[in-house]
Amino acid sequence: MADIATRATRVTPATRGRRHNGGGPRAGVIVAFVTPFFLPFVLFYLVPICYAIGQSFMAVRRTGGQYGTSYTTFGGFEQYVKVFQNTEFWSSIGRIALFGIVQVPVMLFLALIMALLLDTPLLKLKAFFRIAAFMPYAVPGVIAAIMWSFLYSPQLSPVVDVLKAIGLQPDFLGPGAVLWSAANVSTWLWTGYNMLIMYSALQAIPQELYEAAKLDGASNWAIAWKIKVPIIAPSIILTTVFSIIGTLQLYAEPAVLRQISSNISSTFTPNMLAYAVASGNNYQQAAAISVVIAVITFVLSFGFMRLTSKRAGL
Amino acid sequence: MNNQTPIRESRVSRTAAMALMFLLAIYFLLPIYFLLVAATKPQGDLASTFGLAFSHFNLFENLSTLFGRSDGIFGRWALNSVIYAVLGAAVGTLISALCGYALAKFKFRGREFLFSVILGGVLVPTTALALPLFLLFSATGIVNTYLAVFLPSIVSPFGVYLARIFTSAAVPDEILESARLDGAGEFRTFFSVSLKLMTPALVTIFLFQFVGIWNNFFLPMVMLQKESLFPITLGLFEWNGQTARVSLLQESVITGALISIVPVIIVFILLQRFWRTGLAAGSIK
């Protein structure tokens, strides 16, 4: 703080036009630049996080039986104990884990294959493929889920019609299939976005890097897997982390499918559970669930980054 | 391109690659094509005709039914989405640009700490913020107003990150120095010199934030009860939940879904260049 104060006094009209050593404007100016973002960031990011953590340690009690007046008091880890004892919580976590273990690798593998193919001279119509894959990103998750729910619906779907015509009996909304129907909506929405992140990284690699390998007679296939993929590993890690975060937040897709399928409960994903609990006015319990989801998200994202960066020596 | 691989290998791989990409392109485009076809059909044809073939062309009747429902509530939702997304992204871009610019060009104590805190915000699941925000906003009476959705939407940590990277790359220190030598204040320099150099970056930040707000569903769902404040996503979600009882609503959900995605898709295709720079910057991280 002291150096800022002295610098401020030194900026007199005489020295104003000159570069004062160390450079940079006065503290007041910096504050004026940063505050318009930082104040809302504190109010709408940091404060709610602290508030949720605070709420998760509170509990509602009643004086004198069922009809007594209720009051909120410090509850310690009570809410967290309830979360961990809640079987609905564990089944929602199990569902989302299964979803993530299958959907994220499938989606990222598709994205990687597309990005690598777009980066070879093998393809024509590259611009068309790029746009086709990226288009779903323009579609809101809710709308995507509504569109796909028509394609899953036995009455309306041309996909079901075609499958029936070749003798299959698909039931996209059945108890075993509905999780994968939701996974398909996420894959459809995000493959192109992830593909473009990887593709941008591929485009940034200088061509000379391949020249030596090409002269040695390496195939496109070998160049792709042995040279390109290791170089764009940071992008693949980034897309994986974003996908993990997205998976744990899953809400819109299953909420829409729930409107047409009885096989999705109101507590299908952790986020749906948190919302259902909050709708029942149990805010402290909902806050605890949200905090647990956020902690799991952080642990998984950072854990994955640490693990991969160690192995890849990045 | 000097391609050293044998011609036969490349012909086989060429065909395989094209075939795979065509299959994937069909996968990505099929639901949109289906929606386009379905939006032109009368309700009665939805179940009785094949979903991928056009039947009786009824698009204009569907549109007038859609916009006429419940005193034109759909038009209101569309307008709300535009207000939330355009205003939110405009304000958000400006404050991200100011902050990212300061982080890139001014040296001050705690700069890197501030940047790390903001970057940490990129990893915070925004749905985890919605419920505590609802409680805080209920205490202040903002719940169920435009502000409840607008205010949290202007904050985009990713925007600050992009603004910082782009500023470092696009605004040379020498220009700022000479502006200072001319006696221009930092704000004047920012608005008259730097912003012009940052324009492509600002468009990118605006687009990302616009789509983020346009697609947002959880926050408005938590914050709003009044139908007249809904964005399109929430409105169509509510209608979709009623189609079991009001089956005629189905055609309006389909036509409404088409209306809600077409403008954004067009903007996307026109502004492709900016998306790619934004994604490329994201991939450097």
Side-chain angles (χ1 to χ4, degrees):
Chain A
M1 277 296 133
D3 62 322
I4 294 174
T6 50
R7 192 183 298 158
T9 53
R10 219 190 302 149
V11 186
T12 56
T15 56
R16 200 168 170 251
R18 288 234 242 78
R19 188 186 177 183
H20 32 272
N21 62 351
R26 285 172 296 128
V29 173
I30 293 171
V31 169
F33 268 90
V34 172
T35 312
F37 174 82
F38 203 66
L39 184 68
F41 179 73
V42 169
L43 288 178
F44 309 128
Y45 263 72
L46 302 184
V47 170
I49 291 172
C50 298
Y51 184 73
I53 294 172
Q55 281 285 309
S56 70
F57 286 102
M58 305 302 273
V60 174
R61 308 235 191 285
R62 288 179 189 283
T63 51
Q66 189 83 46
Y67 301 100
T69 47
S70 63
Y71 62 98
T72 309
T73 179
F74 181 72
F77 285 95
E78 197 179 308
Q79 302 296 348
Y80 289 96
V81 173
K82 275 191 204 153
V83 173
F84 292 120
Q85 286 171 347
N86 186 346
T87 49
E88 283 182 330
F89 173 75
W90 288 112
S91 21
S92 73
I93 289 284
R95 240 172 251 128
I96 217 74
L98 187 62
F99 179 105
I101 290 168
V102 176
Q103 190 267 339
V104 174
V106 167
M107 168 180 70
L108 295 180
F109 184 72
L110 272 181
L112 180 62
I113 295 284
M114 293 183 81
L116 288 170
L117 284 178
L118 282 173
D119 196 49
T120 61
L122 292 173
L123 286 185
K124 293 191 178 86
L125 301 171
K126 284 184 186 181
F128 165 73
F129 290 129
R130 229 176 30 225
I131 293 174
F134 195 46
M135 216 178 260
Y137 181 65
V139 179
V142 178
I143 306 295
I146 290 177
M147 285 158 70
W148 277 101
S149 65
F150 290 126
L151 293 174
Y152 295 149
S153 130
Q155 290 87 38
L156 300 188
S157 171
V159 178
V160 173
D161 289 347
V162 169
L163 291 175
K164 275 193 178 148
I166 57 169
L168 293 171
Q169 290 295 324
D171 181 9
F172 292 116
L173 302 169
V178 77
L179 180 68
W180 307 115
S181 297
N184 173 57
V185 179
S186 297
T187 307
W188 183 80
L189 271 171
W190 295 103
T191 301
Y193 174 82
N194 290 311
M195 181 272 282
L196 272 195
I197 291 183
M198 296 175 193
Y199 180 67
S200 304
L202 285 171
Q203 296 271 290
I205 304 174
Q207 286 291 320
E208 299 82 67
L209 268 175
Y210 315 135
E211 292 304 321
K214 275 185 185 162
L215 287 176
D216 287 347
S219 64
N220 281 319
W221 184 259
I223 292 175
W225 291 106
K226 300 224 171 93
I227 303 177
K228 292 181 180 177
V229 172
I231 293 180
I232 63 161
S235 298
I236 299 173
I237 292 170
L238 178 82
T239 53
T240 312
V241 169
F242 280 163
S243 307
I244 292 173
I245 297 174
T247 303
L248 279 151
Q249 289 194 78
L250 199 67
Y251 184 92
E253 293 88 341
V256 170
L257 292 184
R258 181 174 146 74
Q259 294 177 325
I260 56 160
S261 169
S262 54
N263 293 309
I264 293 186
S265 63
S266 64
T267 60
F268 196 73
T269 68
N271 221 341
M272 288 171 80
L273 173 66
Y275 183 72
V277 170
S279 306
N281 285 334
N282 193 347
Y283 296 121
Q284 295 74 24
Q285 178 65 23
I289 295 171
S290 294
V291 171
V292 173
I293 299 171
V295 169
I296 295 175
T297 310
F298 267 108
V299 169
L300 284 181
S301 334
F302 280 113
F304 183 78
M305 278 195 270
R306 286 291 293 278
L307 190 79
T308 45
S309 60
K310 228 177 252 171
R311 191 165 299 168
L314 297 167
Chain B
M1 291 258 146
N2 73 333
N3 203 343
Q4 302 279 336
T5 44
I7 290 157
R8 190 186 294 163
E9 189 218 49
S10 73
R11 185 168 295 164
V12 173
S13 359
R14 216 175 283 256
T15 319
M18 285 299 278
L20 179 64
M21 290 302 272
F22 264 115
L23 271 180
L24 286 166
I26 290 171
Y27 169 65
F28 291 121
L29 297 177
L30 181 82
I32 296 173
Y33 174 74
F34 167 78
L35 197 69
L36 190 71
V37 172
T40 65
K41 287 181 181 175
Q43 172 74 39
D45 283 5
L46 281 180
S48 62
T49 59
F50 183 60
L52 299 178
F54 286 95
S55 66
H56 182 64
F57 188 83
N58 203 46
L59 177 64
F60 297 111
E61 288 86 343
N62 290 342
L63 284 172
S64 81
T65 317
L66 169 70
F67 282 97
R69 255 178 215 290
S70 321
D71 299 325
I73 192 81
F74 183 80
R76 185 69 191 262
W77 293 339
L79 183 69
N80 289 342
S81 274
V82 171
I83 292 173
Y84 291 130
V86 171
L87 276 185
V91 174
T93 304
L94 179 66
I95 62 178
S96 296
L98 281 165
C99 187
Y101 177 83
L103 288 169
K105 291 297 169 194
F106 302 157
K107 293 189 184 71
F108 55 94
R109 200 184 284 177
R111 178 173 76 164
E112 292 312 312
F113 173 73
L114 193 68
F115 188 54
S116 322
V117 172
I118 293 171
L119 262 195
V122 175
L123 292 180
V124 175
T126 45
T127 48
L129 298 172
L131 289 173
L133 267 176
F134 169 77
L135 294 180
L136 290 166
F137 280 3
S138 342
T140 49
I142 305 178
V143 153
N144 219 5
T145 65
Y146 275 110
L147 285 179
V149 174
F150 176 78
L151 287 176
S153 302
I154 61 172
V155 185
S156 165
F158 187 61
V160 176
Y161 167 77
L162 288 179
R164 182 182 185 169
I165 300 189
F166 287 137
T167 308
S168 302
V171 184
D173 286 332
E174 295 74 37
I175 290 187
L176 299 186
E177 284 305 326
S178 64
R180 282 177 194 141
L181 284 175
D182 291 344
E186 293 298 335
F187 276 100
R188 229 185 95 192
T189 312
F190 176 78
F191 284 107
S192 62
V193 181
S194 310
L195 268 191
K196 268 179 210 132
L197 296 170
M198 291 164 74
T199 307
L202 296 179
V203 176
T204 306
I205 297 170
F206 179 87
L207 282 174
F208 271 90
Q209 203 162 350
F210 176 89
V211 168
I213 302 173
W214 185 272
N215 293 0
N216 202 348
F217 164 68
F218 196 69
L219 182 74
M221 187 191 68
V222 169
M223 292 292 176
L224 306 174
Q225 279 91 49
K226 225 188 275 171
E227 272 201 340
S228 60
L229 300 177
F230 284 5
I232 282 190
T233 46
L234 186 55
L236 287 180
F237 176 77
E238 298 276 301
W239 274 2
N240 196 47
Q242 295 163 17
T243 50
R245 278 177 286 124
V246 194
S247 61
L248 284 177
L249 211 49
Q250 207 162 40
E251 186 55 65
S252 287
V253 171
I254 289 174
T255 315
L258 184 70
I259 295 293
S260 76
I261 64 174
V262 165
V264 186
I265 288 181
I266 291 171
V267 170
F268 256 62
I269 294 175
L270 292 178
L271 299 175
Q272 262 200 83
R273 178 164 80 85
F274 297 102
W275 288 106
R276 288 169 65 191
T277 48
L279 290 164
S283 70
I284 295 165
K285 212 167 10 174

